[in-house]
Amino acid sequence: MAKYIIKRLLMIIPILAGVVVVVFTINYFSSGSPAFVYLGASATTESIAELEHEWGLDRPYIIQLLDYFRQIIFEQSLGTSYVYKVPVTELIMEKLGPTLVIGLSGSLISVVIGLILGVVAATHQYSGFDYGATFFAVLLNALPNFWVAMMLMYLFGLKLNLLPISGLGSPSHYIMPVIAVSLSPVAVITRMTRSSMLEVIRQDYIRTARGKGISERDVIFKHALKNALIPVVTVIGLIMGVSVTGTIIIETVFNIPGLGLLIKNSIASNDYSTIQGCILVCALIISLLTLLTDIIYAVIDPRIKAQYEGQSRKKRPQLQKGGAK
């Protein structure tokens, strides 16, 4: 299992390298200039060219790209922000905390509620609860998260005056953003869990377990749910990645100083180095969550782990045989 994890970690390196190349290329060939944004609309062409030369933005594409890779690999640096004039790594670490809290909290809530609703709906098929949960899932999936965020602000912030509507300062500031992030994933997980559970509980081994007199609770949670979770885990892994890295709209609506709002402001100001650093960190987070999903696969389904270990055993005798010759 350790070899599998190491192998998966090494596969992240070319993925991140590809992300760097794509994002850097888009920034390089974009029409805007961070020097123009930094100096303002009254800046002359000469002053813009002078500042671009100072920042090294007038160098050839391949030279800038190789220099950026050199910074990442040998200096462990993502460069310096053109707008904020501080290291991008420092800027990201300062903004990453709120984004992780909102994204991971929203993901956890959506997973718990989605699994419960999906399991109960599947075990009570065609009941009032099943129809209600299905309607609830479809409705939540149709509601844009920015609209949900604004409705929460209007109801709980302006009308009832129960929660703060912007910024960060106390745990209560996180409540509405977390709810806005979690509602749409609840719908996806509920529908996926329900369909997967319905497929599993129709299998022969479930009927056999019931025929042996095993309690319905044990049949559902010890036999059916464990196998039904295999496709659901894929959806959960994707949702966690999107929830953590896709909070730009939510952070903008609630004016939360997180990574999403930093990306938005950096795009508006053509702050290339900050954009590249933020996207690279987002890609790293998604890759690590994908790795975590694969590890959970092996825990839920021992066949995956056995298949990998079986391949390792097959290679070992061949190497010993070759060495003997």
Side-chain angles (χ1 to χ4, degrees):
M1 192 62 184
K3 292 182 179 179
Y4 174 73
I5 296 175
I6 294 174
K7 181 180 178 181
R8 292 289 301 175
L9 283 172
L10 292 176
M11 290 176 62
I12 294 177
I13 297 176
I15 294 174
L16 296 181
V19 169
V20 169
V21 172
V22 171
V23 177
F24 187 91
T25 302
I26 293 174
N27 284 334
Y28 181 84
F29 290 102
S30 63
S31 57
S33 170
F36 175 79
V37 176
Y38 183 80
L39 294 175
S42 60
T44 62
T45 304
E46 292 77 10
S47 61
I48 293 175
E50 182 180 351
L51 188 58
E52 286 182 343
H53 178 73
E54 179 184 342
W55 287 347
L57 297 177
D58 57 346
R59 295 176 298 169
Y61 164 79
I62 190 65
I63 300 299
Q64 292 190 47
L65 178 60
L66 292 177
D67 183 62
Y68 189 62
F69 271 112
R70 179 190 60 78
Q71 285 184 354
I72 296 175
I73 297 172
F74 297 105
E75 299 179 10
Q76 292 80 48
S77 171
L78 296 175
T80 302
S81 170
Y82 297 126
V83 174
Y84 299 97
K85 294 298 182 181
V86 296
V88 174
T89 305
E90 178 182 327
L91 199 58
I92 292 175
M93 294 304 297
E94 178 185 345
K95 306 294 185 180
L96 186 59
T99 300
L100 289 177
V101 171
I102 294 172
L104 294 178
S105 300
S107 300
L108 180 61
I109 292 173
S110 60
V111 168
V112 173
I113 297 177
L115 287 177
I116 293 174
L117 292 178
V119 171
V120 177
T123 54
H124 296 78
Q125 190 179 16
Y126 303 131
S127 65
F129 185 89
D130 183 24
Y131 289 122
T134 303
F135 174 79
F136 180 69
V138 173
L139 177 63
L140 290 182
N141 201 32
L143 297 178
N145 58 1
F146 69 88
W147 183 86
V148 172
M150 289 189 292
M151 291 301 101
L152 291 173
M153 291 174 65
Y154 177 76
L155 178 60
F156 295 103
L158 299 178
K159 284 296 183 180
L160 300 178
N161 198 25
L162 295 176
L163 297 170
I165 61 175
S166 66
L168 287 179
S170 66
S172 60
H173 284 82
Y174 286 99
I175 295 177
M176 288 195 291
V178 168
I179 294 175
V181 167
S182 64
L183 289 184
S184 182
V186 166
V188 177
I189 296 174
T190 298
R191 296 172 64 185
M192 188 66 187
T193 304
R194 179 184 179 275
S195 61
S196 183
M197 281 290 295
L198 287 175
E199 182 179 350
V200 170
I201 60 179
R202 296 191 182 105
Q203 300 298 319
D204 292 336
Y205 69 89
I206 297 296
R207 287 192 288 267
T208 301
R210 285 171 173 160
K212 291 180 177 180
I214 300 176
S215 66
E216 186 66 15
R217 179 187 179 89
D218 290 341
V219 169
I220 295 300
F221 290 100
K222 291 185 178 180
H223 297 275
L225 181 58
K226 188 175 182 179
N227 291 286
L229 280 178
I230 295 175
V232 178
V233 167
T234 304
V235 176
I236 292 175
L238 293 174
I239 284 175
M240 290 182 67
V242 171
S243 297
V244 173
T245 62
T247 59
I248 297 177
I249 296 177
I250 298 300
E251 291 182 4
T252 302
V253 171
F254 290 102
N255 194 28
I256 295 174
L259 191 63
L261 191 59
L262 177 62
I263 294 175
K264 171 186 170 295
N265 294 335
S266 299
I267 293 174
S269 60
N270 292 325
D271 191 354
Y272 297 154
S273 56
T274 304
I275 296 172
Q276 291 161 184
C278 291
I279 300 301
L280 182 60
V281 170
C282 290
L284 177 61
I285 292 173
I286 293 175
S287 299
L288 292 177
L289 289 175
T290 303
L291 173 62
L292 178 62
T293 301
D294 293 339
I295 296 173
I296 294 175
Y297 275 148
V299 175
I300 295 176
D301 190 358
R303 292 174 298 180
I304 299 176
K305 182 179 179 181
Q307 181 181 3
Y308 179 78
E309 291 179 347
Q311 292 175 354
S312 299
R313 292 193 192 98
K314 287 180 182 178
K315 292 179 181 179
R316 205 171 298 154
Q318 292 175 359
L319 292 174
Q320 291 176 353
K321 187 176 180 181
K325 287 182 180 181

